């Protein structure tokens, strides 16, 4: 089954064709970064307009690179949640219209299920495992029982980890997207140059696997800024290295708790921050774990992860109704809730 997957939840206009949830036949990602860079962050209005302008050429390019026509496509999938409303609507409406006009099956996909699936495109992974979903919008530690069954154990109580990277970078005027810039600058910095606290959320078992990044972000901004103003020889490289070290330690401390409590030793990462070199290196040191990362090109937003996970829904007979809508937020991403229904149907 060849599935054409569309992704437009944030600032990448993307389309891929994937066969049987595994073989990437084509994978086109048109990034809008240059258009948002001057504003130091994603401007939703610009993002929607660029998606509207690019969606047709991107889908055409994916077909061209696959050497296929629409007649060769068996089903269509598009991200419908969570994300920027205007951005989601472009890809979703395009996908639904295509499916409707061609009379082919359509399925709407949760973006985070796509991220969780990305590593499966290049690896054979058995369920259950611990999922580490780290992106611009989410920081989730989950017990993953199946392609549509994430039991969220922990999440952020404030900013997501990617958001913290982006905000620190924005404050110091380092560039956008922040994670990529900080990762690069940190390579030449000393992680011990500043000591930032790993937040403690240990009151009872309520927040056992939860993370918090807004305190770290504020500490980095104020503490480092104060030192810089006093004329200390502290470089951006050092600030980046120390911040990145603490951000990674924060999320991994909770992940390791989940490893201990569940006994699961396979950890699968996904999302833009899964591209972080320090996070990858820290996890790689844990030889007792089987840590699986998607290749770098599949960490950020792409259509292949959408088409890939869509195959499993479609194979099971799931279809989305033609009036399926976009949802900016997913209220079901709360600790303790099994998300079968939320992920499965619409
Ligand atoms: O998954 P993604 O492309 O979009 C969302 O679903 O949010 O993730 C984007 C996030 C941004 O916050 C970006 O700064 C971060 O991923 N990111 C990174 C790296 N590359 C991208 N964060 C840390 N290190 C990286 N190498
Ligand atoms: Zn994403």
């Amino acid at each position: 089954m060849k599935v054409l997957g569309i992704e437009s939840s944030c600032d990448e206009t993307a389309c891929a064709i994937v066969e049987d949830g595994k073989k990437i036949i084509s994978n086109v990602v048109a990034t809008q970064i240059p258009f948002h860079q001057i504003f130091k962050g994603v401007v939703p209005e610009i993002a929607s307009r660029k998606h509207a302008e690019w969606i047709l050429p991107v889908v055409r390019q994916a077909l061209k690179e696959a050497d296929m026509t629409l007649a060769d496509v068996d089903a269509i999938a598009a991200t419908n949640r969570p994300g920027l409303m205007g951005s989601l609507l472009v890809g979703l409406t395009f996908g639904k219209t295509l499916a409707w006009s061609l009379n082919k099956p359509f399925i709407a996909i949760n973006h985070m299920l796509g991220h969780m699936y990305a590593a499966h495109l290049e690896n054979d992974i058995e369920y259950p495992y611990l999922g580490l979903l780290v992106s611009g919008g989410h920081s989730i530690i989950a017990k993953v029982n199946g392609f549509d069954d994430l039991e969220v154990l922990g999440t952020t109580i404030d900013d997501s980890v990617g958001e913290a990277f982006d905000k620190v970078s924005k404050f110091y005027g380092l560039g956008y997207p922040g994670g990529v810039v900080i990762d690069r600058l940190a390579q030449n910095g000393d992680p011990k140059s500043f000591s930032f606290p790993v937040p403690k959320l240990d009151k009872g078992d309520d927040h056992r696997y939860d993370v918090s990044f807004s305190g770290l972000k504020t500490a980095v901004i104020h503490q480092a800024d104060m030192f810089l103003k006093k004329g200390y020889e502290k470089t951006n490289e050092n600030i980046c290295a120390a911040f990145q070290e603490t951000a990674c330690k924060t999320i991994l401390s909770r992940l390791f708790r989940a490893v201990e409590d569940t006994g699961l030793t396979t950890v699968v990462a996904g999302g833009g921050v899964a591209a972080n070199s320090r996070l990858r290196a820290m996890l790689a040191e844990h030889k007792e774990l089987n840590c699986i990362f998607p290749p770098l090109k599949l960490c950020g937003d792409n259509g292949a992860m959408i088409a890939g996970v869509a195959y499993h829904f479609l194979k099971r007979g799931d279809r989305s109704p033609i009036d399926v809508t976009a949802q900016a937020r997913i209220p079901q991403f709360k600790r303790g809730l099994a998300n079968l229904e939320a992920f499965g149907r619409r």
Side-chain angles (χ1 to χ4, degrees), residues 7 9 111-112 115 135-136 271-272 299-301 305:
E7 158 58 41
S9 64
H111 182 75
M112 299 314 290
H115 275 309
S135 70
C299 285
D301 295 346
M305 65 187 195

Side-chain angles (χ1 to χ4, degrees), residues 40-247:
K40 303 185 174 112
V42 179
V43 182
E45 178 71 16
I46 295 176
S48 325
R49 284 168 189 256
K50 282 289 156 203
H51 284 309
E53 194 182 324
W54 287 357
I55 187 76
L56 183 58
V58 164
V59 171
R60 281 199 173 128
Q61 186 65 20
L63 286 164
K64 190 175 164 202
E65 288 183 16
D67 199 17
M68 283 167 56
T69 68
L70 282 171
D72 305 317
V73 171
D74 298 302
I76 291 162
T79 305
N80 78 325
R81 65 202 191 280
L84 300 170
M85 183 49 90
S87 292
L88 286 166
L89 282 171
V90 176
L92 175 66
T93 308
F94 191 92
K96 284 200 300 181
T97 310
L98 209 54
W100 187 60
S101 60
L102 295 166
N103 200 21
K104 302 212 181 212
F106 176 79
I107 187 94
I109 295 292
N110 181 315
H111 182 75
M112 299 314 290
L113 282 192
H115 275 309
M116 196 68 267
Y117 190 78
H120 289 256
L121 286 161
E122 302 212 339
N123 300 277
D124 293 320
I125 309 170
E126 281 183 20
Y127 298 103
Y129 57 74
L130 283 174
L132 179 65
L133 283 174
V134 277
S135 70
H138 296 88
S139 313
I140 292 172
I141 294 168
K143 179 170 176 244
V144 184
N145 303 309
F147 70 90
D148 68 340
D149 187 1
L150 271 78
E151 263 173 69
V152 177
L153 303 174
T155 183
T156 179
I157 60 159
D158 41 54
D159 291 351
S160 76
V161 57
E163 211 175 334
F165 272 91
D166 293 337
K167 285 181 179 167
V168 166
S169 175
K170 188 173 178 176
F171 181 84
Y172 286 103
L174 304 177
Y176 165 84
V180 180
V181 184
I182 289 177
D183 195 348
R184 181 166 36 81
L185 289 174
Q187 316 262 339
N188 298 316
D190 174 8
K192 296 203 177 76
S193 55
F194 290 96
S195 105
F196 299 121
V198 174
K200 294 214 166 27
L201 292 169
D202 295 0
K203 300 234 167 65
D205 269 353
D206 265 10
H207 294 291
R208 193 157 170 76
Y209 313 105
D210 283 345
V211 287
S212 157
F213 289 100
S214 92
L216 171 62
K217 175 196 70 189
T218 310
V220 172
I221 288 172
H222 291 308
Q223 195 182 321
D225 194 45
M226 195 177 70
F227 277 119
L228 285 174
K229 279 195 187 122
K230 282 186 182 162
Y232 279 69
E233 283 288 303
K234 302 290 180 187
T235 60
N236 284 337
E237 281 83 352
N238 282 346
I239 294 167
C240 289
F243 159 71
Q244 178 176 269
E245 193 74 9
T246 312

